[in-house]
Amino acid sequence: MTLIPKSRFLGGAEIAAVLVFVAAFAVPAITKSVLIYSILNQALVGVVAAQSVWIMLRMNLLSFASPAFMAIGGYTVAIAGQYEITDVFAMTAAAFLVPALVAIPLGALVLRLRGTYFVLVTFVLSQIMQLLLFETPGLTGGSNGISGIPPATIFGTELATNRQVVLFACGIALFATIITACLTRFFRQHFAAIEENEILAESLGLVVWRYKALGFVVAAGIAGLAGYSLVTMLLTAHPSSFDSGTAVDFIAYSIIGGRSSILGPIVGTALMVYATNLFGTHGQYAQGLYGVLILVVVLALRGGIVGTVSTLLRKARGA
Amino acid sequence: MEQFLQATIIGVSLGTQYALLALGFTLIFGILGVVNFSHGGFYMLGGYVAYACVAHAGLPYPLAVLVAILATGALGWVFELLLIERLVDDHLATLMLTLGLYLVMSTAMLEIFGPLSMDFRFPVTGALRAGPIYAPLENLVVLGVCLIAILGLWLILFRTDLGRALRALADDRSVAMAQGLRPKILFPAAFALATGLAGLTGALVTPILSLSPGVADPVLATSFLTVILGGLGSLGGAALAAFIVGIVEAYSSVYFGGSIGALVLFVLVLLLLVFRPQGLLGREIRGA
Amino acid sequence: MKMHTTTLMAALAVALGATAAHAQSCEIKVGAMGPMSGGAAQWGLAMSGAAELAAAEVNAVGGIEIGGKKCKVVIVPYDSKYTADGAAAGANAFASQDIHVIVGPVGSPEATGIKPVAARNQQLAWNAAYAKNALEPKFPLMFHIAPAPAVWADPMIKQVLKTFPMKSVALVAPNDQAGTDIVAVDAEKYRANGIQTTEEYYQRGTTNFAPIVTRLLAAKPDVIDTASSPPGDAGVIVKQLRLAGFAGPIGRLGGPGTEEIIRVAGGIDVLKDFFWYETVATGDPKVQEIDALYRKFLGKDPVGGTALWGNLPAARMTMKAIAAAGTAEDAVKIAEAMRKLPVEDPNMGKGYWTGGKQYGIAQELHFPFGVGIIKDGKNLGVTRMEAHPD
């Protein structure tokens, strides 16, 4: 890992990541298969949530709070939809900003806790969110959720067909990737320093809490975008979509794909979503597969799939 | 008044069960620095092993419980020795390893036993009654066993060489190793001790409640909550917090109902963290 | 080597069989959706099992005639995992295979998830959810396999009162959609019969119900009703209620799972006095015949218990509707044909289309159902209750 940044804003991996999503826009033009649209849509939602987890992993912090912030983003859009506010640009901003704002006081509480405490508390946050959803039926529809959300509109046109929803998801994923890429690239050294040794970094003058807070707030916003995408795909905001167990899935995508590169969550999500769809009626084995893959990656393929591939490439080049 | 007394009795029995779980969890963290995501899985495994012994091998229940402890302890030992030991310094990696193990364990149990609840009964039935107030005998038995186990754990940790070695490793590993303590034997022992405790709790409690693959998740959530409250790494804190969680859960469920009750507990824990981030009796967390 | 006549005959038979298979070259694909893994797996398997039985029955007489050709019906299963996203993904997966008719899904979150997506894909579906919005007028392609308590709770309560008179009841269920929707309706029907009600909800994931039991008993109810609590939870609640000294009847105006409840509670003598709702009249020998039919047509043991029986009429009517509409692709035509079909089943008897009063769209099958009674630890069997119009 070189300490001399080649570019403050975009490195090779980041550009590749952005290009992946630009390319994704082409898929609806190439195929009409509803199955491909469905898997792609699931992957596009998952990758944004995985990026939310990944941002925190850059600082060696594992957050289980992604479903909670996804819920905030998703329900914000659903509630706005009930007042006929569906414009895509306004809702994207809302889906990012509302969870980010909520993350500020939460972060102040939670980021004081180091490492493992942080993990446990974010786990508890997801459980609290489920409870809050059930206990506020007037706002969130309680256990029934909010169904029949009007489709997103862009410049007045409704995004109602399967094709249009996939394109919408591509747009959200692209936007989220750009934000994630800029954040982690711009603050690459700071995050890396915190990841390596937080106390040492602090003693060297880094104001650690600022970067943790920034990461946590942006990660919350990204998760909110994932919530928006999910709710648009289903046309429903339902508590079962934001179950605390889904955090495990997003963490698995990030870890298996590879922690050290922004391409990691992308590769991990694509692979795992595809694999889960393959399992079909034996869905219970999917969790077992995640478990085995996590064990393999952590023990043998340090750096996940992307990390291993890039190490092999480097060796092949003789670097 | 009767409700209050009844709630207290329930709270205490909940507290002892949570204490056994929390102690195992915090033991692993304190000594190895590992957050054991498979803790609920070992609880479930203990229940299933005991069930299989009783239902398929025809063993008497106390023997089945013993087998459950040995089985979960052995699995914990092997898992630590073969897998965790390689990465024991990387806290995030070990957390992921235990998570992976949990996913594999729960899929395996689902495959072997199916998704429905088993017919697994506690051998002691009936309750002590004083008017409308009752204390189920099964809870008293479990209370007794739990207290003995807690006492046993305390004796091991504070009155034996093994225990002293474990505590030394927890305090400062490099110094302890310089003194000649061998983590290669002690770490698996600590892990096995903790998973054995989880297995014991599972073997005891699942026949009182229910046994199915779904019982693992709530156990993990409760263990997390309890050790956050008590302070990671502090055994006294874990035990104290377990009783607080049990009693608060009992009172708030009885007086406020099921949903609000859970919320009360979470809010209390969060509030505590605002004012005391290291938990009730926790120490300052070791740095990276 | 001499060619034996038997070998020749066998070869001829194979050749004939192959040509016969080629002659029936068209296939109708029908989807079956539900949770097929995890805790609710038996309900999903019951859904696909019912679809497979209906398909096998129809295939045994050559299949369904579409455009002059007799086509074989093939059932394609999908595991929707009891979640909204699972069901939505399933509808899309089916759409990609040109499947426009779906038997399923099962649960409330699944029904919520599938409705808009199936509408977008123009797919007909049958859900078995108890949710308040299981059917909606804006989703005309959605049908309901069996009614929610709004239809059967009242006659059931009246029947139960004959064995277990009561003045007050405490209802308990988890605070998720299936729980709250059912309890609200149950409570209303109890009150309509002059019985006082209290409602208690518990957090999903609760394993020890002792505090809830204490709270339930504080109101000193005559009867405690576990509504739609999952059977594992209900079993623990029953166990702990009896341990707490509650001697009154315990009820279940909710879903199936009585065997699991008996298992977890520790035996039928612990249940002592218990009443429950069966989606079908399980005591009726004509209904019990379904298991024999399953073995005969599919050659294996049935899964899903009484839920399989409950799903079968919908699956059979689907086959009839496809035949009547003459297409397996045009969901709107099939739905039109479906609505015109009489509600009749060879094993279930006669029923009615209900749902108009409750949902504003009468696309719900209501067949004779059952009320089960256990008194003094003895299973008195399931009483057949006739269906009635809305």
Side-chain angles (χ1 to χ4, degrees):
Chain A
M1 185 184 70
T2 164
L3 285 174
I4 305 163
K6 296 208 183 74
S7 148
R8 208 79 206 276
F9 280 99
L10 287 179
E14 283 77 16
I15 295 181
V18 168
L19 285 177
V20 163
F21 294 107
V22 171
F25 276 99
V27 171
I30 301 176
T31 171
K32 285 215 175 65
S33 158
V34 176
L35 181 66
I36 294 185
Y37 290 173
S38 173
I39 297 182
L40 182 61
N41 210 338
Q42 290 170 50
L44 288 169
V45 172
V47 78
V48 178
Q51 284 179 351
S52 168
V53 170
W54 182 75
I55 292 176
M56 295 312 286
L57 275 178
R58 297 304 291 135
M59 293 184 281
N60 216 25
L61 288 170
L62 185 64
S63 168
F64 273 81
S66 40
F69 292 117
M70 283 174 74
I72 298 178
Y75 273 91
T76 301
V77 172
I79 294 171
Q82 294 187 310
Y83 294 100
E84 303 295 321
I85 304 174
T86 54
D87 177 59
V88 117
F89 299 107
M91 286 296 96
T92 304
F96 184 88
L97 289 173
V98 175
L101 286 172
V102 172
I104 297 176
L106 274 181
L109 168 65
V110 151
L111 289 168
R112 286 195 285 166
L113 313 167
R114 294 233 173 84
T116 36
Y117 252 111
F118 178 81
V119 175
L120 302 186
V121 173
T122 54
F123 187 89
V124 166
L125 278 179
S126 288
Q127 313 244 304
I128 295 181
M129 179 54 64
Q130 281 279 302
L131 270 177
L132 284 178
L133 289 176
F134 286 140
E135 293 304 311
T136 52
L139 185 67
T140 61
S143 54
N144 287 312
I146 300 176
S147 56
I149 303 174
T153 54
I154 181 164
F155 302 125
T157 339
E158 268 192 357
L159 298 172
T161 67
N162 276 328
R163 241 182 115 250
Q164 289 167 324
V165 172
V166 169
L167 289 171
F168 163 82
C170 286
I172 296 281
L174 180 63
F175 182 58
T177 307
I178 293 175
I179 297 179
T180 307
C182 287
L183 177 80
T184 50
R185 184 79 192 178
F186 196 80
F187 295 110
R188 202 162 57 115
Q189 289 174 276
H190 312 80
F191 283 10
I194 299 175
E195 184 190 4
E196 282 271 336
N197 191 328
E198 193 179 312
I199 296 183
L200 182 62
E202 202 157 16
S203 71
L204 289 174
L206 194 68
V207 186
V208 166
W209 73 263
R210 269 196 216 147
Y211 299 99
K212 277 189 177 178
L214 186 62
F216 189 68
V217 166
V218 173
I222 300 282
L225 289 176
Y228 181 21
S229 199
L230 179 62
V231 153
T232 304
M233 183 171 83
L234 298 177
L235 292 174
T236 303
H238 198 265
S240 67
S241 307
F242 304 107
D243 184 64
S244 47
T246 58
V248 172
D249 293 345
F250 305 133
I251 292 171
Y253 301 161
S254 278
I255 299 275
I256 294 173
R259 296 167 51 174
S260 27
S261 159
I262 193 175
L263 289 171
I266 299 175
V267 169
T269 309
L271 216 58
M272 292 296 104
V273 167
Y274 182 67
T276 312
N277 273 283
L278 279 182
F279 274 110
T281 55
H282 300 286
Q284 72 267 34
Y285 293 124
Q287 291 272 300
L289 174 71
Y290 288 2
V292 169
L293 282 178
I294 290 176
L295 288 172
V296 164
V297 163
V298 172
L299 286 170
L301 301 177
R302 307 306 309 281
I305 296 177
V306 172
T308 312
V309 165
S310 70
T311 313
L312 287 174
L313 282 177
R314 221 181 299 136
K315 284 209 188 122
R317 263 188 265 136
Chain B
M1 188 53 192
E2 303 151 346
Q3 251 199 328
F4 182 77
L5 282 174
Q6 192 59 57
T8 313
I9 295 176
I10 294 172
V12 168
S13 72
L14 282 178
T16 25
Q17 294 162 20
Y18 293 162
L20 263 193
L21 288 171
L23 283 173
F25 192 83
T26 227
L27 196 68
I28 295 183
F29 182 78
I31 296 174
L32 284 92
V34 172
V35 173
N36 184 13
F37 250 86
S38 54
H39 207 63
F42 282 100
Y43 168 93
M44 171 184 61
L45 185 64
Y48 274 117
V49 169
Y51 163 74
C53 289
V54 167
H56 298 303
L59 294 176
Y61 179 73
L63 197 56
V65 173
L66 200 59
V67 173
I69 300 174
L70 291 173
T72 47
L75 181 62
W77 183 291
V78 167
F79 185 66
E80 206 288 333
L81 194 62
L82 294 182
L83 299 183
I84 298 208
E85 197 49 39
R86 304 188 195 188
L87 294 165
V88 85
D89 283 320
D90 184 346
H91 296 316
L92 194 58
T94 50
L95 189 155
M96 296 305 304
L97 282 178
T98 55
L99 178 61
L101 176 67
Y102 169 59
L103 293 175
V104 171
M105 273 170 94
S106 86
T107 306
M109 291 297 108
L110 183 63
E111 246 321 276
I112 300 175
F113 293 100
L116 301 180
S117 306
M118 302 284 111
D119 184 355
F120 188 26
R121 308 183 196 182
F122 200 82
V124 175
T125 52
L128 295 180
R129 295 180 197 279
I133 303 181
Y134 68 101
L137 289 173
E138 56 197 17
N139 284 5
L140 292 174
V141 170
V142 172
L143 179 67
V145 175
C146 284
L147 289 175
I148 293 175
I150 294 176
L151 184 65
L153 186 65
W154 185 83
L155 282 173
I156 293 177
L157 286 174
F158 290 93
R159 288 280 179 274
T160 64
D161 286 341
L162 170 69
R164 202 172 314 130
L166 291 176
R167 282 184 293 125
L169 281 170
D171 273 339
D172 193 321
R173 189 165 351 137
S174 31
V175 171
M177 281 168 67
Q179 298 268 329
L181 292 174
R182 289 167 26 219
K184 283 259 178 289
I185 296 191
L186 295 169
F187 279 179
F191 206 86
L193 191 57
T195 56
L197 278 175
L200 167 67
T201 316
L204 287 177
V205 176
T206 50
I208 294 177
L209 301 177
S210 64
L211 176 63
S212 70
V215 301
D217 288 332
V219 163
L220 190 66
T222 311
S223 303
F224 277 7
L225 201 64
T226 312
V227 297
I228 291 173
L229 184 60
L232 269 176
S234 161
L235 290 164
L240 177 62
F243 279 97
I244 294 178
V245 168
I247 290 176
V248 169
E249 182 184 321
Y251 286 143
S252 57
S253 294
V254 169
Y255 288 109
F256 298 126
S259 308
I260 310 278
L263 207 52
V264 165
L265 198 54
F266 285 132
V267 168
L268 278 178
V269 172
L270 276 183
L271 277 179
L272 180 88
L273 285 178
V274 171
F275 298 109
R276 217 183 141 76
Q278 72 267 38
L280 287 172
L281 296 178
R283 307 170 276 186
E284 271 302 313
I285 307 294
R286 288 195 303 252
Chain C
M1 198 165 82
K2 261 207 324 205
M3 279 279 252
H4 290 267
T5 3
T6 33
T7 324
L8 212 66
M9 296 284 274
L12 201 65
V14 166
L16 277 177
T19 35
H22 271 291
Q24 193 190 62
S25 58
C26 70
E27 240 180 30
I28 296 175
K29 287 202 268 195
V30 171
M33 189 191 291
M36 297 182 194
S37 55
Q42 51 174 338
W43 315 141
L45 293 172
M47 193 64 79
S48 60
E52 278 173 10
L53 178 53
E57 287 176 337
V58 141
N59 287 338
V61 288
I64 299 181
E65 184 162 330
I66 303 275
K69 277 200 292 200
K70 281 258 188 171
C71 300
K72 180 168 158 190
V73 178
V74 171
I75 302 292
V76 180
Y78 189 90
D79 178 5
S80 39
K81 302 188 181 49
Y82 214 81
T83 60
D85 1 349
N92 284 329
F94 283 153
S96 74
Q97 297 180 60
D98 238 348
I99 295 177
H100 296 265
V101 182
I102 305 173
V103 177
V106 172
S108 303
E110 298 176 328
T112 307
I114 199 179
K115 277 188 301 206
V117 178
R120 196 157 63 194
N121 294 339
Q122 289 283 283
Q123 288 163 317
L124 183 153
W126 284 94
N127 82 66
Y130 279 166
K132 270 200 294 253
N133 58 355
L135 290 179
E136 286 181 80
K138 63 180 176 183
F139 296 115
L141 297 177
M142 178 61 69
F143 289 79
H144 203 204
I145 290 187
V151 168
W152 48 260
D154 190 63
M156 173 159 174
I157 292 171
K158 291 185 159 72
Q159 177 71 18
V160 169
L161 281 171
K162 294 182 195 165
T163 317
F164 299 125
M166 62 184 98
K167 292 254 179 18
S168 59
V169 67
L171 293 139
V172 60
N175 59 2
D176 58 21
Q177 184 173 18
T180 53
D181 283 359
I182 305 295
V183 166
V185 174
D186 285 350
E188 189 195 306
K189 299 299 179 188
Y190 273 118
R191 283 194 294 269
N193 278 282
I195 302 169
Q196 266 187 314
T197 63
T198 50
E199 295 163 38
E200 284 304 325
Y201 296 103
Y202 62 87
Q203 164 73 339
R204 245 182 343 145
T206 305
T207 47
N208 194 330
F209 294 90
I212 305 281
V213 160
T214 306
R215 188 174 164 80
L216 282 171
L217 294 178
K220 297 206 202 307
D222 293 330
V223 166
I224 294 185
D225 190 321
T226 59
S228 51
S229 312
D233 293 354
V236 181
I237 293 175
V238 168
K239 197 161 46 172
Q240 295 185 315
L241 274 173
R242 293 299 184 216
L243 209 46
F246 179 71
I250 301 177
R252 191 164 167 78
L253 254 67
T258 308
E259 306 87 51
E260 193 176 347
I261 294 178
I262 296 178
R263 252 200 326 265
V264 175
I268 201 171
D269 39 301
V270 175
L271 256 66
K272 206 162 68 96
D273 293 328
F274 188 72
F275 60 90
W276 73 96
Y277 164 72
E278 285 282 6
T279 47
V280 298
T282 56
D284 185 343
K286 271 213 92 41
V287 172
Q288 291 166 354
E289 239 176 56
I290 296 178
D291 275 351
L293 284 174
Y294 192 96
R295 288 194 185 91
K296 172 172 149 206
F297 282 102
L298 294 171
K300 49 185 176 171
D301 278 334
V303 282
T306 59
L308 176 76
W309 301 346
N311 296 332
L312 190 57
R316 282 177 171 158
M317 286 181 69
T318 303
M319 305 297 158
K320 282 202 216 140
I322 294 176
T327 165
E329 319 253 301
D330 187 339
V332 177
K333 267 178 120 187
I334 302 174
E336 263 172 40
M338 187 89 75
R339 292 181 200 115
K340 296 206 191 92
L341 290 176
V343 180
E344 255 171 26
D345 184 274
N347 296 89
M348 294 292 169
K350 278 203 174 39
Y352 297 92
W353 283 112
T354 51
K357 234 183 358 189
Q358 210 202 352
Y359 309 107
I361 178 171
Q363 293 188 169
E364 170 180 88
L365 291 179
H366 176 39
F367 278 101
F369 59 99
V371 173
I373 304 269
I374 291 174
K375 187 156 166 66
D376 292 323
K378 277 202 268 298
N379 190 341
L380 296 183
V382 175
T383 313
R384 180 193 173 92
M385 307 281 293
E386 288 308 320
H388 56 90
D390 244 343

